[in-house]
Amino acid sequence: MDLFESGKWRFSRAAVAVTIAAGHLAGCVSAFAGDKPRGSAYAPSRTVLSPGISKPPLGLPADHADIDTEHIFGFSMGSDIGKPGEIEVEFENVGAFGKRSGSYAALANLNQVKYTVSDNFRIAPGFSLSGQRIRGVPGLADHQDVAFSGAALELRYKLVDRAVAPFGLTLHAQPGWSRIDDASGMPIAQYGAEFAALFDRELIKDRLFAAFNVWYGTGGTREVATDLWRHDSEMQLQAALSYAVRPELVFGLGVRYARAYDGGALNRFAGDAIFAGPTFSYAISKEIGISGTWQMQVAGSAVGDNRSLNLDQFERHQALLRLNLHF
């Protein structure tokens, strides 16, 4: 399988998704193209950023950073990582529903304790659970179970602080180990990692926010039943807009374009999918917040399958519900 699709129809859908996502990124970068001399996102000439800079300069309203952007975009992430010394407990639940035929539902649960070490660095160890209810799905064994599935360590570094720059940028890395396949529920031994660049920008002060993410995941998996290894990888472009109806209540829309590959380094293209849907975030109090999204596959295809949508590597619907406790 090639890295790029051969059909014009597939390529055009990919171009649409990339254009949507790139539009949001362009909005972030456009702040550097005005009347004043400005540089790139990594070396801005207007403001020289360093790891020690994180607090707003004199004259910047204190409420500029009142809305934490990390979880207001659904699946996409904002660049905020919390304040130094802050401890946060997070329960993230991702559901996947619907295949071509049969009954399919899968749940992946990640539980983390996040500790913000400094203005720019956060660490978050966690463990995961998974559950499936599969009946009559071609290619998957009937299965119903909930089990401990693995562990992960999330690391985030804030490279550009949106409080002192036109946009924020945080780098994300998360190595992990799994003993259960989240999609099928079958026993495995999997070692992998995901990496991301998380951009966000405040378009209208205290009201409208935009995010653009680039995600890459890779891993090696040994199937216990066959003792055979396989390697796969995935890349996603994500974009989202969120509007604060009130400081504690945010609604928005998220779009994701995902490409799946055989091979750990985006070697052989296997299929793609585009998901879109509404998002929300609600701060119940300063200590408790909930957020989530429900997205449906609006376009997609798998290599060797001419039918609409990609229900081999992906599902019809994907949903997220997240609970955060701050200490």
Side-chain angles (χ1 to χ4, degrees):
M1 286 170 284
D2 297 327
L3 290 179
F4 299 98
E5 299 171 90
S6 59
K8 293 183 179 178
W9 180 67
R10 291 178 178 174
F11 180 81
S12 64
R13 290 184 300 101
V16 169
V18 172
T19 300
I20 292 172
H24 292 292
L25 178 59
C28 294
V29 178
S30 64
F32 288 101
D35 296 330
K36 299 180 182 179
R38 299 177 181 180
S40 71
Y42 297 95
S45 59
R46 185 175 65 89
T47 304
V48 178
L49 301 178
S50 69
I53 296 178
S54 64
K55 297 180 180 179
L58 293 177
L60 187 67
D63 60 357
H64 180 82
D66 277 354
I67 295 180
D68 189 312
T69 63
E70 181 179 6
H71 295 318
I72 67 172
F73 300 109
F75 282 111
S76 303
M77 295 283 188
S79 66
D80 291 344
I81 62 172
K83 299 177 181 179
E86 184 177 82
I87 297 175
E88 179 181 352
V89 176
E90 179 175 297
F91 306 95
E92 182 181 88
N93 304 280
V94 176
F97 310 96
K99 289 291 188 179
R100 188 76 60 186
S101 60
S103 175
Y104 181 86
L107 173 69
N109 162 262
L110 178 61
N111 308 283
Q112 294 177 298
V113 177
K114 301 180 177 182
Y115 177 67
T116 305
V117 180
S118 67
D119 289 330
N120 300 84
F121 181 66
R122 190 181 73 191
I123 185 171
F127 70 92
S128 56
L129 307 173
S130 69
Q132 301 78 26
R133 188 182 185 280
I134 304 171
R135 293 287 184 273
V137 178
L140 296 176
D142 288 357
H143 182 81
Q144 184 170 337
D145 194 16
V146 177
F148 165 72
S149 60
L153 177 64
E154 178 190 276
L155 305 170
R156 290 199 179 179
Y157 183 81
K158 186 190 295 183
L159 191 63
V160 179
D161 193 331
R162 70 184 183 90
V164 294
F167 66 90
L169 169 59
T170 291
L171 303 181
H172 163 97
Q174 183 172 299
W177 159 79
S178 298
R179 58 180 292 272
I180 299 292
D181 187 304
D182 287 337
S184 67
M186 295 296 101
I188 58 171
Q190 183 182 75
Y191 305 90
E194 63 180 28
F195 306 92
L198 314 175
F199 296 85
D200 64 358
R201 186 182 179 192
E202 189 176 31
L203 300 179
I204 300 176
K205 187 181 180 304
D206 299 329
R207 286 292 184 181
L208 185 62
F209 302 83
F212 175 72
N213 294 177
V214 180
W215 291 82
Y216 165 65
T218 181
T221 303
R222 180 179 67 86
E223 296 182 359
V224 173
T226 62
D227 202 33
L228 296 176
W229 282 87
R230 73 173 190 271
H231 294 82
D232 48 35
S233 53
E234 183 176 318
M235 174 167 280
Q236 290 196 20
L237 300 178
Q238 305 182 1
L241 283 173
S242 291
Y243 182 81
V245 179
R246 299 196 301 270
E248 71 276 10
L249 181 61
V250 182
F251 292 107
L253 175 67
V255 178
R256 295 179 295 141
Y257 174 60
R259 291 174 65 90
Y261 295 84
D262 292 326
L266 307 180
N267 305 83
R268 296 172 296 276
F269 176 74
D272 63 355
I274 300 174
F275 289 87
T279 68
F280 83 96
S281 174
Y282 179 57
I284 300 173
S285 67
K286 290 184 178 180
E287 294 78 24
I288 304 174
I290 59 173
S291 58
T293 182
W294 186 290
Q295 298 186 355
M296 66 180 298
Q297 187 179 156
V298 296
S301 64
V303 170
D305 189 343
N306 294 325
R307 293 173 293 183
S308 63
L309 303 184
N310 181 351
L311 299 178
D312 291 344
Q313 288 89 24
F314 304 99
E315 300 79 29
R316 293 185 184 274
H317 302 273
Q318 294 182 355
L320 178 148
L321 182 63
R322 185 189 294 115
L323 173 66
N324 296 88
L325 308 176
H326 299 265
F327 299 92

